[in-house]
Amino acid sequence: DAGITQSPRYKITETGRQVTLMCHQTWSHSYMFWYRQDLGHGLRLIYYSAAADITDKGEVPDGYVVSRSKTENFPLTLESATRSQTSVYFCASPDRDTGELFFGEGSRLTVL
Amino acid sequence: KNQVEQSPQSLIILEGKNCTLQCNYTVSPFSNLRWYKQDTGRGPVSLTIMTFSENTKSNGRYTATLDADTKQSSLHITASQLSDSASYICVVSVYGNNRLAFGKGNQVVVIP
């Protein structure tokens, strides 16, 4: 079934390590987004991509890097993880006709 | 700054009862307003989406209303079920730039 898949679903790492969260969509949608969700905050936009090889910063981009070499994949990399990056990360992509935003199941990251 | 405020922050209701969740926003220019349901440990799933000209929209036992003049929306849950226990997130789309403003969510707990 078509959709958005994220991996890993759960990850524990240590401060200073590099971590990559993967996001894959099967619709060939143009736009893809990365959000983080923390208690006391709404979903906050980290980075987004309008198409392959086009990415832009969101509200909270510091400490993160993204790439979009293929339309279907949008990985998020924490180059040197910090405890403040402990969060649940959601990848999302909107339907081009309705604008409805579809989310992945999330990746729960813990940085020790 | 585009903001979305939701109330109450959390709510406990008895199974079978109705409840109403509120969303006030300051987003401008307005494009559309969406309500999402997020079960614990899952990604948000769309319930309704309303444009400027729509006052009400239903999805089963969920009915959303929109007053674009006062910038208020509500989500009414009729005859609540245990499966309605979730966080309900109000999301407002900014016209013209694909940006979304997220509320922090209404946490609903339905008890038998």
Side-chain angles (χ1 to χ4, degrees):
Chain A
D1 196 14
I4 292 184
T5 54
Q6 294 184 232
S7 62
R9 290 292 314 279
Y10 303 91
K11 176 75 176 178
I12 299 175
T13 191
E14 295 177 332
T15 302
R17 300 262 189 178
Q18 183 179 81
V19 176
T20 296
L21 306 180
M22 303 300 296
C23 178
H24 175 80
Q25 55 119 339
T26 58
W27 298 296
S28 297
H29 288 173
S30 297
Y31 277 87
M32 296 185 76
F33 302 90
W34 272 108
Y35 294 94
R36 62 177 290 173
Q37 187 176 42
D38 305 287
L39 280 174
H41 294 275
L43 284 150
R44 293 182 290 174
L45 182 64
I46 305 171
Y47 268 95
Y48 68 98
S49 169
D53 297 321
I54 301 175
T55 63
D56 209 345
K57 296 179 180 179
E59 183 184 352
V60 288
D62 293 343
Y64 303 96
V65 174
V66 293
S67 61
R68 187 114 180 257
S69 58
K70 294 183 178 181
T71 300
E72 60 267 30
N73 297 323
F74 190 37
L76 176 74
T77 298
L78 289 67
E79 293 189 306
S80 179
T82 65
R83 290 194 182 89
S84 65
Q85 292 177 309
T86 292
S87 186
V88 182
Y89 293 86
F90 287 98
C91 180
S93 182
D95 180 275
R96 62 169 66 95
D97 296 321
T98 66
E100 180 178 346
L101 191 61
F102 293 92
F103 287 86
E105 294 286 40
S107 294
R108 181 176 292 275
L109 176 67
T110 301
V111 183
L112 302 176
Chain B
K1 183 179 179 181
N2 293 320
Q3 289 189 315
V4 178
E5 299 290 338
Q6 294 186 241
S7 62
Q9 183 177 356
S10 60
L11 181 66
I12 300 175
I13 59 173
L14 289 173
E15 187 179 11
K17 298 294 187 182
N18 304 334
C19 71
T20 299
L21 312 176
Q22 299 291 340
C23 172
N24 297 337
Y25 62 93
T26 60
V27 172
S28 182
F30 172 88
S31 177
N32 59 65
L33 185 145
R34 314 148 188 233
W35 282 94
Y36 283 81
K37 179 187 180 190
Q38 184 176 21
D39 294 318
T40 301
R42 307 294 297 274
V45 175
S46 179
L47 290 176
T48 63
I49 178 170
M50 290 182 290
T51 60
F52 184 89
S53 59
E54 296 175 294
N55 299 119
T56 184
K57 183 163 283 188
S58 292
N59 179 354
R61 294 179 295 101
Y62 300 101
T63 300
T65 65
L66 173 65
D67 185 334
D69 291 330
T70 61
K71 298 188 176 182
Q72 295 180 323
S73 176
S74 65
L75 180 69
H76 186 77
I77 305 175
T78 302
S80 60
Q81 300 177 358
L82 297 179
S83 59
D84 293 330
S85 295
S87 178
Y88 294 85
I89 303 172
C90 177
V91 185
V92 183
S93 178
V94 182
Y95 181 81
N97 66 6
N98 286 302
R99 291 298 179 100
L100 300 174
F102 289 83
K104 295 178 182 180
N106 305 100
Q107 185 67 44
V108 174
V109 176
V110 181
I111 59 175

